[in-house]
């Protein structure tokens, strides 16, 4: 069962327990929490087997989106990926800021920044990936965590980014200790890039908050990069 489905099950158990404790005080019929729990468990089962967990991800993401800080963190996190990819000449093809947006575009999970990673995929298939390409992508993957940390002092997202980096490095024969060392190195690389281009980053965040197109976001980056030269 997916983690999202497990989260829905945990929510249903919590609600059932809470209703049992508070039901007599508010004169709540036992049938109400029972039906609600049955519905949530049914949704979790259907989502896990038919939607590969995406439905539950959308629901949980929608609940989290009521928090202004959560929405703000996502934008700052994804802006870190976007700016770093642009600076490292990896084409950005799109971005989404919620699981619902990602689902509409046929993307898994909660969405994020999409790249033209054809060159990376080709080199991975050949088993002859260049150090330059892997270094660029490792820096991009770590940039969301760095951006979130710089703005909020700590990162809540980024687990998927670390998993992706670790998976690629493991496939290339890196040991776990070497992978962690490389992760730390690219966290520092991303931090340097973002701090050196902070005005471009802040302008990009504002553009993404307004759901500007990829080309408009790239134009904003170029504009502020030129001003800093």
């Amino acid at each position: 069962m997916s983690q999202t489905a497990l989260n829905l099950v945990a929510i249903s158990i919590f609600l059932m327990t809470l209703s049992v404790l508070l039901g007599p005080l508010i004169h709540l019929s036992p049938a109400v929490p029972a039906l609600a729990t049955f519905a949530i468990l049914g949704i979790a089962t259907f989502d896990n087997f038919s939607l590969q967990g995406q439905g539950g991800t959308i629901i949980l993401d929608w609940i989290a989106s009521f928090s202004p800080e959560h929405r703000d963190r996502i934008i700052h996190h994804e802006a870190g990926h976007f700016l770093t990819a642009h600076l490292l000449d990896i084409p950005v093809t799109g971005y989404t800021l919620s699981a619902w947006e990602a689902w509409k575009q046929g993307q898994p999970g909660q969405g994020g920044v999409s790249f033209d990673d054809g060159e990376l995929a080709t080199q991975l298939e050949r088993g002859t990936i260049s150090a330059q390409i892997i270094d660029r992508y490792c820096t991009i993957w770590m940039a969301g965590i760095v951006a979130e940390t710089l703005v909020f002092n700590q990162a809540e997202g980024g687990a998927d980014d670390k998993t992706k980096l670790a998976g690629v490095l493991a496939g290339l024969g890196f040991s776990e200790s070497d992978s962690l060392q490389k992760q730390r190195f690219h966290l520092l690389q991303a931090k340097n890039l973002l701090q050196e281009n902070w005005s471009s980053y802040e302008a990009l965040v504002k553009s993404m908050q307004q759901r500007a197109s990829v080309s408009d976001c790239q134009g904003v980056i170029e504009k502020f990069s030129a001003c800093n030269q």
Side-chain angles (χ1 to χ4, degrees):
M1 182 174 287
S2 69
Q3 184 60 48
T4 302
L6 290 174
N7 289 338
L8 288 174
V9 171
I11 290 173
S12 68
I13 293 174
F14 170 76
L15 292 176
M16 188 67 175
T17 303
L18 188 65
S19 64
V20 169
L21 295 174
L22 299 180
L25 299 178
I26 60 176
H27 305 292
L28 181 67
S29 169
V32 174
L35 289 173
T37 301
F38 178 79
I40 292 175
L41 291 176
I43 291 172
T45 302
F46 174 78
D47 177 51
N48 188 60
F49 290 103
S50 300
L51 301 178
Q52 289 74 52
Q54 186 67 11
T57 299
I58 292 173
I59 293 173
L60 294 176
D61 186 60
W62 175 72
I63 294 173
S65 69
F66 285 97
S67 165
E69 181 180 328
H70 175 78
R71 297 194 301 269
D72 205 28
R73 278 181 176 274
I74 289 176
I75 292 175
H76 281 85
H77 184 105
E78 299 306 333
H81 289 308
F82 193 126
L83 177 60
T84 305
H86 183 83
L87 294 173
L88 295 178
D89 297 322
I90 300 297
V92 174
T93 58
Y95 70 91
T96 57
L97 300 176
S98 69
W100 174 247
E101 291 179 9
W103 182 78
K104 289 193 295 182
Q105 295 187 22
Q107 298 179 20
Q110 295 181 324
V113 178
S114 303
F115 315 106
D116 180 0
D117 56 2
E119 185 176 4
L120 174 65
T122 299
Q123 292 191 18
L124 283 173
E125 289 178 2
R126 293 175 180 172
T128 57
I129 188 168
S130 67
Q132 184 183 46
I133 284 292
I134 193 63
D135 283 348
R136 287 180 181 179
Y137 274 93
C138 286
T139 301
I140 293 168
W141 289 328
M142 293 297 96
I145 296 172
V146 171
E148 203 178 333
T149 302
L150 288 173
V151 176
F152 300 98
N153 295 320
Q154 64 177 359
E156 293 183 356
D160 289 344
D161 298 324
K162 290 181 179 179
T163 299
K164 188 181 298 182
L165 181 146
V168 170
L169 293 180
L172 294 173
F174 282 76
S175 66
E176 184 176 353
S177 59
D178 287 341
S179 179
L180 290 173
Q181 183 177 355
K182 198 163 181 62
Q183 177 181 300
R184 290 191 291 269
F185 173 78
H186 288 288
L187 282 168
L188 181 59
Q189 292 293 96
K191 181 179 181 180
N192 291 337
L193 270 178
L194 290 174
Q195 289 180 326
E196 290 170 1
N197 296 273
W198 196 249
S199 59
S200 295
Y201 172 74
E202 292 180 319
L204 175 61
V205 167
K206 292 180 181 179
S207 295
M208 292 176 70
Q209 287 173 333
Q210 299 169 3
R211 295 301 198 278
S213 66
V214 170
S215 59
D216 286 343
C217 288
Q218 291 169 335
V220 166
I221 294 172
E222 294 296 336
K223 175 184 176 181
F224 279 85
S225 295
C227 291
N228 290 335
Q229 293 178 355

